[in-house]
């Protein structure tokens, strides 16, 4: 059971004494160097680790997306990784602008095996690590500070010698004080400087100091303070690249990476979609797209996010959460009525300025930039309103007047409440057709003849219904007024309160759709007509409104139409 007083078992992580910190006032202006660790850190977190085929497929995806540094495995610890690395090198699969990275523990036989796997590689980063935090020194390894430093410097000495013995390869050395985030700051600095002294990097031959959030133990701002403090203190700062490797135990991996970059980090290791041990590594997709939506090119291409998602899911055998930032199926989808209305208005405004800054409510990024369409932006359920319904109909070419949006959304709401599930755009269109465009329920207007003279406009037509037909004849100042008066002659009195029409499509196949709002006994309701002729569409819209008013009992039926009304 959870403790009532957790302070008896857990303690707050100590903050960094850095009153003159500068990182909170900085603004990110460029992307860091990205290093994918999907095939090592991500792979070791999978229920079923990737085989050679899935690893190669993942490698090809990472290259296509634009990663220039890719950690391909732990060749000294796994024959699968060893063989995969050899296949990459011997087949010439590594592009000229891509550097592979491999990891090894600080143990002589593993280091030697690592270099055996790397034989003939054109460029490589050799990454060695050892745990530095007190709990690891004391509980896991049983060494003091000096012993811990000795492990790191001995490994560095061996790696440097092997690099010098293989000058045909362009080498980069990377050292990680594993568990840096909960290592004493002064000791983290001490061990890194001891490694620097041993390796002797220069501004022309830099080494990487990778400072991991191995397990998140504090808020992101504390880690940023650690990074800024370290960057200020470390010797030969111009000869080292500061890298971070955040995990996500507290759910703040992205914030940790972003704030660390403000504090001086130049490089980030992470995975696509954040797969990794426990709650995962930092999600490079989210980091990259956060930069993109700030107007900064991330240097990675997620133009076809659906392809990327499918490939990652295939290789990792893990699903993507539907609400995953930028990539989830539902991240660009609004069900809320107020959200839908705001999005609809945003798209309408953007049509007037398509080249301007992206400013659509509730959509921080244009889905089209990631290869997504707008079909899933608005979906309707019982939480939705008129804006969402109207937007989905607009995708079908039907632009409802505002009061008709309100009227029809009430009908859709009742359908959604009854079904208790999402109402698809196909269901909405079908419902709209049933309520407004179906003819013969109970009336159908046929054979309309329109004539005009100086006295006005005349209409003669047949009004068919089940069981018979009547002749409609009327006169007015236009066709619609003439039709209204023709209905009045049959005892159906109403007037037209509003009228709208628009084209559904352009060219020879253009159709017109007309919306007529009638007032019957103080009540308003719409009718809709659709035809290649705008005149015919407007006449049909009047008849549609009369049919709906008759079905609702607002108008008395003409003749024997009881069967049709049922």
């Amino acid at each position: 059971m959870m403790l009532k007083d957790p302070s008896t078992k857990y303690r707050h992580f100590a903050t960094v004494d850095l009153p003159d910190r500068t990182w909170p006032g900085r603004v990110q202006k460029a992307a860091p160097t990205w290093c994918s660790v999907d095939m090592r850190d991500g792979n070791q977190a999978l229920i079923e680790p990737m085989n050679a085929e899935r690893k190669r497929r993942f490698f090809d995806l990472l290259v296509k997306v634009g990663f220039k540094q890719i950690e391909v495995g732990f060749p000294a610890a796994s024959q699968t990784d060893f063989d995969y690395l050899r296949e990459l090198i011997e087949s010439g699969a590594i592009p000229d602008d891509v550097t592979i990275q491999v990891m090894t523990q600080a143990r002589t036989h593993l280091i030697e095996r690592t270099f055996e796997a790397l034989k003939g590689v054109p460029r490589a980063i050799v990454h060695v690590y050892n745990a530095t935090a007190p709990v690891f020194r004391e509980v896991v390894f049983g060494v003091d500070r000096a012993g811990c430093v000795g492990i790191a410097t001995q490994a560095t000495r061996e790696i440097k010698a092997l690099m010098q013995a293989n000058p045909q390869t362009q080498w980069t050395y990377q050292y990680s004080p594993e568990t840096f985030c909960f290592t004493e700051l002064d000791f983290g600095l001490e061990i890194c400087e001891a490694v620097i002294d041993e390796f002797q990097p220069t501004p022309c031959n830099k080494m990487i100091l990778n400072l991991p959030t191995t397990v998140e133990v504090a808020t992101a701002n504390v880690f940023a303070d650690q990074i800024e403090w370290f960057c200020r203190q470390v010797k030969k700062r111009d000869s080292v690249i500061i890298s971070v490797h955040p995990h996500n135990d507290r759910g703040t991996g992205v914030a940790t990476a972003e704030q660390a970059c403000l504090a001086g980090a130049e490089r980030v290791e992470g995975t696509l979609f954040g797969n990794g041990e426990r709650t995962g590594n930092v999600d490079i997709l989210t980091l990259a797209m956060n930069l993109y939506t700030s107007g900064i090119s991330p240097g990675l291409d997620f133009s076809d996010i659906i392809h990327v998602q499918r490939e990652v899911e295939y290789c990792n055998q893990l699903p993507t959460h539907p609400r995953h930032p930028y990539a989830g199926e539902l991240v660009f989808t609004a069900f809320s009525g107020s959200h839908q209305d705001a999005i609809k208005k945003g798209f309408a405004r953007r049509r007037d300025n398509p080249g301007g800054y992206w400013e659509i409510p509730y959509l921080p990024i244009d889905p089209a930039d990631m290869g997504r369409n707008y079909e899933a932006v608005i979906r309707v359920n019982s939480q939705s309103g008129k804006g969402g319904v109207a937007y989905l109909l607009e995708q079908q070419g039907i632009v409802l007047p505002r009061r008709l949006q309100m009227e029809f959304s009430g009908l859709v709401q009742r359908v959604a409440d009854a079904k208790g599930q999402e109402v698809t755009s196909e269901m909405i269109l079908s419902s709209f057709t049933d309520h407004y465009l179906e003819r013969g329920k109970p009336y159908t207007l046929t054979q309309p003849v329109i004539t005009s003279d100086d006295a006005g406009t005349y209409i003669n037509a047949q009004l068919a219904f089940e069981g018979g037909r009547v002749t409609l004849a009327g006169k007015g100042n236009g066709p619609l007024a003439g039709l209204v008066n023709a209905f009045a002659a049959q005892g159906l009195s109403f007037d037209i309160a509003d009228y709208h029409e628009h084209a559904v499509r352009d060219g020879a196949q253009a159709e017109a759709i007309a919306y007529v709002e009638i007032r019957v006994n103080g009540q308003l309701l719409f009718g809709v007509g659709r035809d290649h002729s705008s005149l015919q569409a407007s006449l049909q819209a009047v008849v549609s409104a009369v049919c709906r008013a008759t079905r609702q009992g607002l108008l008395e039926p003409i003749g024997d139409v009881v069967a049709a009304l049922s």
Side-chain angles (χ1 to χ4, degrees):
M1 295 179 63
M2 291 182 66
L3 303 174
K4 291 183 178 179
D5 181 11
S7 67
T8 62
K9 188 173 183 178
Y10 304 100
R11 55 190 170 188
H12 194 280
F13 189 80
T15 58
V16 180
D17 183 16
L18 195 68
D20 60 341
R21 61 181 59 82
T22 61
W23 67 264
R26 295 177 186 164
V27 176
Q28 189 82 8
K29 295 183 178 179
T33 298
W34 307 110
C35 179
S36 161
V37 294
D38 288 273
M39 287 184 288
R40 199 276 307 172
D41 211 348
N43 190 47
Q44 71 181 10
L46 299 178
I47 298 170
E48 296 182 10
M50 287 182 273
N51 58 21
E53 182 269 331
R54 283 192 283 151
K55 274 201 149 192
R56 179 59 185 271
R57 190 159 165 174
F58 212 131
F59 181 83
D60 291 342
L61 174 68
L62 294 170
V63 170
K64 183 178 180 181
V65 166
F67 282 92
K68 304 305 179 186
Q69 295 184 9
I70 302 171
E71 189 166 82
V72 296
F74 204 142
S78 164
Q79 189 63 43
T80 299
D81 280 9
F82 187 99
D83 294 340
Y84 168 66
L85 176 54
R86 292 309 309 158
E87 191 272 332
L88 280 180
I89 296 170
E90 292 170 5
S91 66
I94 305 169
D96 292 341
D97 61 347
V98 171
T99 301
I100 62 166
Q101 177 171 304
V102 295
M103 180 174 250
T104 179
Q105 291 176 320
R107 299 165 69 179
T108 302
H109 71 285
L110 296 179
I111 291 171
E112 291 174 348
R113 177 70 167 164
T114 299
F115 275 83
E116 182 183 345
L118 288 168
K119 186 176 181 179
V121 70
R123 293 159 307 283
I125 299 168
V126 179
H127 179 193
V128 71
Y129 68 97
N130 69 313
T132 55
V135 68
F136 280 81
R137 298 195 310 261
E138 297 163 9
V139 176
V140 181
F141 299 109
V143 296
D144 57 11
R145 284 191 175 197
C148 193
V149 171
I151 292 170
T153 54
Q154 176 62 30
T156 302
R157 191 175 306 115
E158 293 172 358
I159 289 171
K160 183 176 181 180
L162 286 166
M163 287 179 172
Q164 291 173 340
N166 294 275
Q168 71 279 7
T169 296
Q170 182 181 329
W171 299 106
T172 300
Y173 178 49
Q174 175 171 320
Y175 171 69
S176 287
E178 191 192 9
T179 66
F180 168 82
C181 61
F182 50 101
T183 296
E184 309 95 317
L185 267 181
D186 66 321
F187 182 59
L189 178 66
E190 177 188 337
I191 195 168
C192 286
E193 290 191 334
V195 168
I196 289 172
D197 288 341
E198 188 65 50
F199 191 76
Q200 288 296 308
T202 67
C204 296
N205 183 32
K206 295 184 179 184
M207 66 170 289
I208 299 169
L209 289 178
N210 188 55
L211 309 178
T213 317
T214 307
V215 180
E216 279 196 311
V217 293
T219 51
N221 63 295
V222 173
F223 186 68
D225 282 349
Q226 290 175 323
I227 295 299
E228 181 167 342
W229 183 93
F230 187 92
C231 288
R232 291 187 193 181
Q233 302 295 327
V234 68
K235 65 172 64 174
K236 303 191 75 169
R237 179 66 181 88
D238 63 349
S239 300
V240 296
I241 297 165
I242 303 299
S243 173
V244 291
H245 181 114
H247 280 251
N248 197 46
D249 300 87
R250 295 167 61 100
T252 58
V254 168
T256 294
E258 289 178 331
Q259 294 181 22
C261 287
L262 295 177
E266 305 149 89
R267 180 179 183 268
V268 175
E269 294 188 347
T271 61
L272 293 180
F273 307 127
N275 174 54
E277 300 168 287
R278 303 178 308 280
T279 57
N281 285 53
V282 69
D283 177 9
I284 287 183
L285 165 73
T286 301
L287 286 171
M289 297 315 297
N290 284 355
L291 288 174
Y292 181 84
T293 57
S294 299
I296 299 169
S297 174
L300 300 175
D301 186 0
F302 294 109
S303 298
D304 189 355
I305 191 60
I306 293 175
H307 171 72
V308 172
Q309 176 190 341
R310 288 173 179 168
E311 288 294 284
V312 172
E313 288 181 340
Y314 170 80
C315 294
N316 284 346
Q317 301 291 292
L318 291 174
T320 303
H321 193 283
R323 294 292 182 184
H324 190 103
Y326 300 106
E329 178 188 358
L330 298 178
V331 294
F332 299 128
T333 299
F335 287 105
S336 162
S338 60
H339 290 199
Q340 292 173 342
D341 186 60
I343 291 170
K344 177 178 176 292
K345 290 175 180 176
F347 274 119
R349 171 72 66 85
R350 185 160 181 81
R351 284 195 287 270
D352 298 331
N353 184 25
Y357 285 113
W358 178 258
E359 293 179 329
I360 303 292
Y362 299 109
L363 290 178
I365 186 174
D366 185 350
D369 288 0
M370 302 187 74
R372 301 276 290 269
N373 57 39
Y374 300 131
E375 292 179 6
V377 168
I378 289 179
R379 290 162 62 176
V380 171
N381 62 16
S382 60
Q383 304 298 307
S384 306
K386 66 181 185 303
V389 172
Y391 177 86
L392 292 178
L393 283 178
E394 283 184 18
Q395 309 316 297
Q396 309 289 330
I398 300 171
V399 183
L400 302 184
R402 179 172 175 78
R403 285 200 296 275
L404 180 51
Q405 292 179 26
M406 298 170 66
E407 178 183 295
F408 181 56
S409 67
L411 300 174
V412 176
Q413 182 75 37
R414 288 195 287 276
V415 173
D417 285 338
K419 290 183 174 295
Q421 61 187 39
E422 180 183 355
V423 181
T424 67
S425 58
E426 291 78 11
M427 293 165 67
I428 290 172
L429 181 60
S430 175
S431 181
F432 181 79
T433 300
D434 289 343
H435 280 92
Y436 296 99
L437 289 170
E438 287 293 327
R439 301 171 200 150
K441 293 183 180 179
Y443 306 122
T444 303
L445 189 71
T446 62
Q447 303 171 16
V449 176
I450 310 293
T451 59
S452 298
D453 60 22
D454 293 342
T457 300
Y458 305 86
I459 182 170
N460 282 275
Q462 296 294 306
L463 189 69
F465 51 87
E466 186 172 334
R469 67 178 56 226
V470 297
T471 298
L472 291 179
K475 172 189 171 185
N477 60 5
L480 295 190
L483 184 57
V484 169
N485 292 332
F487 274 112
Q490 296 294 328
L492 307 184
S493 296
F494 60 90
D495 62 346
I496 293 178
D498 201 4
Y499 174 83
H500 299 269
E501 71 171 54
H502 64 80
V504 178
R505 61 177 69 91
D506 298 327
Q509 299 301 315
E511 285 186 305
I513 189 163
Y515 311 94
V516 169
E517 187 178 26
I518 68 171
R519 183 181 292 106
V520 185
N521 298 325
Q523 295 194 44
L524 295 168
L525 79 167
F526 274 90
V528 182
R530 185 169 180 167
D531 197 274
H532 290 290
S533 162
S534 59
L535 174 59
Q536 292 295 329
S538 63
L539 297 176
Q540 291 171 14
V542 173
V543 175
S544 167
V546 170
C547 288
R548 297 188 65 239
T550 304
R551 292 198 295 271
Q552 294 179 31
L554 299 175
L555 291 173
E556 292 294 325
I558 299 174
D560 185 14
V561 296
V562 176
L565 288 173
S566 62

